[in-house]
């Protein structure tokens, strides 16, 4: 990873050195340019720490040429919006420590910025991500009198930590809301029915999908509370098929979020997510997303406790 990043920096440095205007920048001009660029750098970090997505995006250039490499993913400007905007909404805040930073002024319109950092990102569900070692690299261009990031690289080593001190939601009490018989319309002729019974920190039951009152899908379901992670582990057992396992957790008194078990260590990165929002004690809305794009919405009503 470090070798690739070094190659990228050397390549970009060479590219801009070869294409820059043949004009010497005086030391006085460099001082002014550095102050101007540093303001944008500070804006970027402040936006991240305050989870102010719009402030962060103000530092970036809206252009087809814009690219941001984030831990191996090459993102366009639009990609940054679709990925980071919903991610910021799940965060309580970030804290960056800049261990070392350098400004290399190639000409009066191009600056290379590199920084060694460590950071911590706290999430609303209680876990946080610790970065003990990270590198950030930006190519700043002066565009219409404004300095903006045209290219960016963020390379970090992340560690996800569950913070037991933030377990202020009673997961068992909240999960009991799913007990009973619930019914929702999938389409004009198809219906979803879930029946579950709570006992001893678990909800056991089954769900069916009926088309014109005929069962076409049926599965036994077992939700068991896991004290070590403060989550519910759900196993769905289908006849003639492999079981499916999910992890669910209430992130507020009315919202429960579920991801496949394989993504439980880093739920924010899960491609498939399901969100349950209780609008009333006898009604919830279930929204399933794939790559942060909604693919299914189901409204369920409790018809029997």
């Amino acid at each position: 990873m470090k070798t690739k990043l070094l190659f990228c920096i050397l390549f970009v440095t060479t590219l801009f050195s070869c294409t820059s205007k043949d004009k010497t920048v005086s030391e006085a001009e460099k001082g002014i340019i550095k102050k101007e660029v540093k303001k944008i750098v500070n804006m970027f970090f402040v936006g991240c720490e305050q989870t102010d997505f719009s402030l962060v995006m103000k530092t970036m250039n809206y252009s087809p040429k814009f690219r941001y490499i984030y831990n191996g993913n090459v993102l366009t400007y639009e990609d940054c919006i679709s990925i980071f905007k919903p991610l910021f909404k799940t965060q309580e805040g970030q804290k960056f420590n800049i261990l070392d930073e350098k400004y290399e002024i190639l000409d009066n319109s191009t600056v290379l910025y590199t920084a060694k950092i460590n950071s911590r990102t706290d999430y609303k569900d209680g876990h946080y991500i610790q970065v003990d070692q990270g590198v950030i690299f930006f190519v700043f261009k002066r565009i219409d009198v404004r300095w903006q990031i045209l290219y960016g690289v963020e390379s970090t080593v992340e560690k996800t930590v569950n913070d037991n001190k933030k377990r202020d939601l009673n997961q068992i009490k909240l999960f009991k809301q799913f007990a009973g018989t619930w019914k929702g319309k999938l389409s004009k002729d198809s219906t979803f029915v879930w029946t579950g019974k709570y006992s001893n920190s678990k909800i056991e039951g089954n769900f069916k999908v009926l088309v014109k009152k005929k069962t076409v899908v049926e599965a036994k379901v077992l939700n068991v509370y896991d004290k070590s992670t403060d989550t519910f582990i759900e196993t769905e057992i289908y006849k003639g098929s492999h079981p499916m396992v999910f992890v669910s957790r209430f992130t507020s008194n009315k919202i429960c979020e579920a991801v496949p078990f394989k993504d439980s260590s880093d739920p924010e990165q899960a491609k498939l997510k399901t969100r349950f929002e209780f609008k009333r004690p006898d009604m919830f809305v279930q929204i399933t997303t794939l790559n942060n794009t909604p693919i299914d919405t189901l409204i369920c009503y409790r018809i029997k406790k």
Side-chain angles (χ1 to χ4, degrees), residues 13-46:
T13 303
T14 304
L15 174 64
F16 280 97
S17 296
C18 294
T19 57
S20 298
K21 298 177 182 178
D22 186 16
K23 181 180 178 181
T24 302
V25 182
S26 68
E27 291 303 315
E29 289 175 319
K30 286 183 179 180
I32 294 173
I33 290 173
K34 182 178 178 180
K35 287 182 180 180
E36 293 174 345
V37 173
K38 191 173 182 63
K39 287 182 180 179
I40 310 303
V41 171
N42 290 340
M43 183 187 297
F44 174 86
F45 285 117
V46 169

Side-chain angles (χ1 to χ4, degrees), residues 157-169:
V157 179
E158 299 181 346
K159 179 174 66 175
T160 301
V161 181
N162 288 312
D163 191 348
N164 294 331
K165 295 180 181 179
K166 292 193 174 183
R167 297 186 179 186
D168 53 351
L169 295 173

Side-chain angles (χ1 to χ4, degrees), residues 57-162:
M57 294 308 293
K58 285 181 180 179
T59 68
M60 300 182 180
N61 179 242
Y62 178 53
S63 165
K65 296 180 180 180
F66 175 88
R67 292 293 183 274
Y68 197 91
I69 301 175
Y70 179 72
N71 285 346
N73 297 301
V74 181
L75 309 176
T76 64
Y77 187 92
E78 290 77 12
D79 291 334
C80 287
I81 293 176
S82 63
I83 292 174
F84 294 124
K85 187 174 183 179
L87 182 62
F88 269 45
K89 291 181 179 179
T90 67
Q91 298 174 352
E92 286 188 348
Q94 303 181 46
K95 178 61 180 176
F96 284 88
N97 293 312
I98 300 176
L99 307 177
D100 183 41
E101 63 178 356
K102 294 180 181 179
Y103 296 80
E104 185 173 351
I105 300 166
L106 301 186
D107 56 42
N108 58 12
S109 64
T110 310
V111 175
L112 305 186
Y113 172 81
T114 55
K116 293 181 180 179
I117 58 100
N118 59 38
S119 67
R120 169 171 165 158
T121 303
D122 288 283
Y123 287 82
K124 294 177 181 178
D125 66 0
H127 83 281
Y128 65 88
I129 292 179
Q130 182 73 40
V131 173
D132 295 322
Q133 183 179 6
V135 176
I136 290 176
F137 169 64
F138 292 148
V139 176
F140 282 94
K141 292 291 290 183
R142 192 201 299 268
I143 302 170
D144 297 330
V145 193
R146 296 176 56 196
W147 288 99
Q148 290 184 310
I149 299 168
L150 186 60
Y151 302 107
V153 180
E154 190 174 336
S155 179
T156 59
V157 179
E158 299 181 346
K159 179 174 66 175
T160 301
V161 181
N162 288 312

Side-chain angles (χ1 to χ4, degrees), residues 199-251:
S199 67
N200 299 322
S201 301
K202 68 177 184 293
I203 293 182
E204 191 171 1
N206 65 80
F207 73 77
K208 298 179 181 180
V209 175
L210 299 94
V211 177
K212 294 183 178 180
K213 298 183 179 181
K214 181 180 179 181
T215 301
V216 294
V217 177
E218 185 174 7
K220 292 183 178 180
V221 181
L222 178 63
N223 282 283
V224 180
Y225 176 68
D226 179 35
K227 186 177 181 180
S228 64
T229 59
D230 197 32
T231 61
F232 271 82
I233 299 176
E234 175 183 316
T235 304
E236 298 178 359
I237 304 173
Y238 298 83
K239 186 176 181 180
S241 182
H242 294 291
M244 298 179 67
V245 184
F246 299 88
V247 174
S248 304
R249 189 178 194 276
F250 274 84
T251 56

Side-chain angles (χ1 to χ4, degrees), residues 124 169 171 174 177 249-256:
K124 294 177 181 178
L169 295 173
Q171 296 293 324
L174 293 171
Q177 297 176 91
R249 189 178 194 276
F250 274 84
T251 56
S252 74
N253 287 319
K254 295 183 179 180
I255 296 175
C256 179

